[in-house]
Amino acid sequence: MTMLKILGRKTSSNVQKVLWCCSELDIPFEREDVGGPFGKNNTPEYLARNPNGLVPTIDDDGFILWESNAIVRYLCAKHGAGKLWQSDLARRADADRWMDWQQTTLAPPMGVLFRGLLRQPPEVIDAEQMNGAMQKATAAMRILDAQLALHSFVAGDTLTMADIALGNAAHRWFSLPRERPELPNVAKWYARLNDRPAYRQHIATV
Ligand SMILES: N[C@@H](CCC(=O)N[C@@H](CS)C(=O)NCC(=O)O)C(=O)O
């Protein structure tokens, strides 16, 4: 049995999900810097493992998997039964649904805002594109705020895989250099996540 290997730079939100998940579940891992300034994600060797040329990819004793939320589900099913991976099917489907929602609804506008406002020089900012993304991200974050009015965490009163998929968005939302509506439940959840050493280590302080 070889140790779980995570390929991906630690500044990537999608890699951070996997790192945070491993730390919450005490899964030992080794990580190799791939992507961003490190490159290596478009080499034939990497593309043979992940044809998208994106990070993260994991190698679990020869089993190769990509798509961050699929990786989180796999690791939670394998190591987090009854914890991040709820045993009740309906509760688990609820968490699963929020993970899909993160990828399909929240991530696209948040990605535009993060890259546009925090990673690009100000002179190339496309104001119209940013306003459109801000409207969409705000609408999605209001939905999350309403959900978090019901429970302490996204899919119940304990941390689940849904929080792992969505937690980075809270950190990025509060880092955006834009005026934002008050989202009191998201703010309380973000404070709760910050109480967790693994979240601080892999997300809030990176
Ligand atoms: N849906 C994919 C998206 C992966 C993705 O877009 N990864 C970005 C980083 S967050 C990436 O690889 N960008 C190119 C790079 O880092 O060089 C997932 O969730 O794993």
Side-chain angles (χ1 to χ4, degrees):
M1 206 51 190
T2 54
M3 194 182 287
L4 173 72
K5 185 153 192 191
I6 302 171
L7 304 169
R9 60 188 167 87
K10 62 182 184 182
T11 49
S12 146
S13 58
N14 290 309
V15 173
Q16 288 175 0
K17 294 172 187 171
V18 181
L19 300 176
W20 179 26
C21 181
C22 285
S23 290
E24 289 288 349
L25 294 175
D26 289 322
I27 305 170
F29 65 88
E30 53 188 40
R31 188 183 62 80
E32 184 184 327
D33 275 322
V34 176
F38 305 98
K40 295 194 283 190
N41 48 324
N42 284 314
T43 61
E45 194 195 14
Y46 189 80
L47 290 170
R49 291 166 152 181
N50 182 343
N52 305 288
L54 297 172
V55 293
T57 301
I58 62 163
D59 179 343
D60 187 25
D61 207 25
F63 172 56
I64 308 293
L65 191 62
W66 44 263
E67 275 303 331
S68 58
N69 286 359
I71 295 171
V72 169
R73 287 186 187 97
Y74 168 75
L75 293 174
C76 289
K78 187 168 172 182
H79 301 278
K83 293 186 269 184
L84 300 182
W85 180 261
Q86 295 129 298
S87 19
D88 179 80
L89 183 57
R91 299 231 21 235
R92 194 163 72 234
D94 179 29
D96 211 3
R97 166 257 304 273
W98 284 104
M99 295 175 83
D100 281 6
W101 180 85
Q102 181 272 326
Q103 285 278 1
T104 56
T105 306
L106 185 59
M110 283 298 286
V112 170
L113 291 170
F114 181 73
R115 285 188 298 275
L117 299 176
L118 295 170
R119 291 263 164 108
Q120 283 183 163
E123 58 275 15
V124 300
I125 291 177
D126 176 339
E128 207 174 309
Q129 188 194 28
M130 291 308 131
N131 289 341
M134 194 63 201
Q135 265 182 15
K136 285 189 179 145
T138 301
M141 290 299 283
R142 284 191 197 282
I143 291 174
L144 185 59
D145 196 64
Q147 175 67 6
L148 286 164
L150 307 175
H151 318 278
S152 316
F153 293 94
V154 173
D157 281 319
T158 57
L159 189 86
T160 70
M161 59 185 183
D163 300 280
I164 302 283
L166 281 157
N168 175 280
H171 182 62
R172 290 200 170 171
W173 172 257
F174 290 112
S175 316
L176 287 177
R178 280 278 166 131
E179 214 169 291
R180 294 173 297 265
E182 291 281 307
L183 296 175
N185 303 305
V186 172
K188 282 186 229 152
W189 172 63
Y190 181 49
R192 252 171 241 132
L193 297 181
N194 267 288
D195 285 339
R196 310 186 78 88
Y199 181 83
R200 285 202 304 277
Q201 182 190 350
H202 295 295
I203 296 183
T205 61
V206 179

